[in-house]
């Protein structure tokens, strides 16, 4: 935003400190109006004809704007995508371990990308990978659901699972404080 002496227009549409329209004024008279009240002249809409300028306390305006942006960032929820890789010949216990990891990720509020890796001749049996993904989806169905159908990407078949809305998201645990007391033997 251009302020005070960096404004190069010959005339501006002036808006007062309370938001009232003061009409089209020359740049010098607009600056005089702002300076007499201890304010800055800020160019709000430079593309308008004539450009729109407002008399305001620019420092206060910047502070308020930065404060609003900070609040917006606080309210923003960052969703991470975690990956779980499976192969067509995965054993039951390994499958259950991957399911437990996915459940934990989903309860933490993260998305889970399930990838089935095809090696060599396994590419001819893509239905096995599809069945494996369906079995995985059913195992985590109470925590998350698939956004789309499984997709083939080269030698990988993948699907993204999103956490369900009604599942309460666990708060991330902080590390417990360690006891610094000396223990006697």
């Amino acid at each position: 935003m251009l302020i005070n002496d960096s404004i190069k227009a010959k005339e501006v549409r002036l808006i007062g400190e309370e938001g009232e329209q003061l009409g089209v004024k020359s740049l010098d008279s607009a600056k005089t109006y702002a300076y007499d009240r201890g304010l800055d002249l800020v160019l709000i809409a430079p593309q308008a004809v004539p450009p729109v300028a407002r008399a305001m306390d620019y420092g206060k305006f910047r502070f308020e704007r930065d404060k609003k942006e900070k609040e917006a960032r606080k309210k923003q929820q960052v969703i991470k995508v975690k990956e779980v890789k499976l192969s067509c010949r995965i054993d039951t216990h390994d499958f259950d371990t991957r399911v437990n990891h996915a459940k934990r990720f989903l309860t933490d509020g993260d998305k889970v990308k399930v990838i089935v890796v095809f090696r060599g001749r396994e590419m001819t049996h893509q239905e096995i990978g599809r069945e494996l993904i369906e079995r995985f989806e059913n195992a985590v169905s109470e925590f998350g659901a698939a956004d789309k159908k499984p997709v083939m990407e080269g030698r990988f078949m993948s699907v993204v699972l999103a956490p369900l809305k009604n599942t309460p998201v666990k708060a991330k645990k902080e590390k417990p404080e360690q006891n610094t007391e000396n223990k006697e033997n």
Side-chain angles (χ1 to χ4, degrees):
M1 282 189 181
L2 297 175
I3 62 169
N4 297 332
D5 293 328
S6 32
I7 301 173
K8 301 296 180 200
K10 291 181 180 176
E11 57 182 19
V12 294
R13 182 175 305 278
L14 184 61
I15 299 174
E17 55 192 307
E18 301 297 323
E20 69 276 6
Q21 294 273 343
L22 299 176
V24 178
K25 306 250 184 192
S26 69
L27 184 60
D28 291 332
S29 64
K31 283 182 189 177
T32 306
Y33 174 84
Y35 294 159
D36 288 347
R37 286 159 180 74
L39 301 171
D40 297 306
L41 188 65
V42 181
L43 198 61
I44 303 272
Q47 67 279 5
V49 179
V52 180
R54 182 172 183 172
M56 66 169 76
D57 183 357
Y58 188 66
K60 183 178 177 184
F61 169 74
R62 262 194 9 221
F63 175 76
E64 298 281 329
R65 184 187 62 193
D66 293 345
K67 190 174 174 183
K68 285 179 187 174
E69 287 175 1
K70 189 176 179 182
E71 285 295 319
R73 276 188 303 235
K74 275 186 187 177
K75 292 178 184 175
Q76 221 174 31
Q77 187 177 12
V78 178
I79 297 177
K80 296 178 185 170
V81 178
K82 305 282 190 168
E83 280 190 5
V84 175
K85 285 191 178 181
L86 309 171
S87 68
C88 290
R89 295 176 284 145
I90 192 166
D91 198 28
T92 310
H93 179 69
D94 294 333
F95 180 81
D96 293 339
T97 303
R98 302 297 194 309
V99 166
N100 289 335
H101 287 307
K103 286 179 181 178
R104 188 180 74 229
F105 296 148
L106 290 168
T107 54
D108 286 344
D110 298 328
K111 288 187 174 186
V112 177
K113 184 174 186 177
V114 182
I115 300 173
V116 177
V117 181
F118 295 101
R119 291 188 179 93
R121 294 183 185 165
E122 292 174 353
M123 281 295 290
T124 58
H125 301 289
Q126 292 179 7
E127 69 278 356
I128 295 172
R130 214 173 292 286
E131 290 169 5
L132 188 62
I133 286 180
E134 283 179 24
R135 200 170 100 201
F136 196 92
E137 285 179 27
N138 290 336
V140 297
S141 62
E142 61 189 58
F143 298 97
D147 292 343
K148 300 176 188 171
K149 292 184 178 183
V151 178
M152 277 301 295
E153 302 167 359
R155 291 194 160 275
F156 306 110
M157 182 179 289
S158 65
V159 67
V160 177
L161 303 175
L164 295 176
K165 298 290 181 194
N166 57 4
T167 307
V169 176
K170 285 194 317 188
K172 304 248 178 180
K173 294 180 181 177
E174 293 183 22
K175 292 183 181 179
E177 294 180 25
Q178 295 179 351
N179 251 345
T180 56
E181 298 176 16
N182 291 334
K183 293 183 181 178
E184 294 181 25
N185 291 342

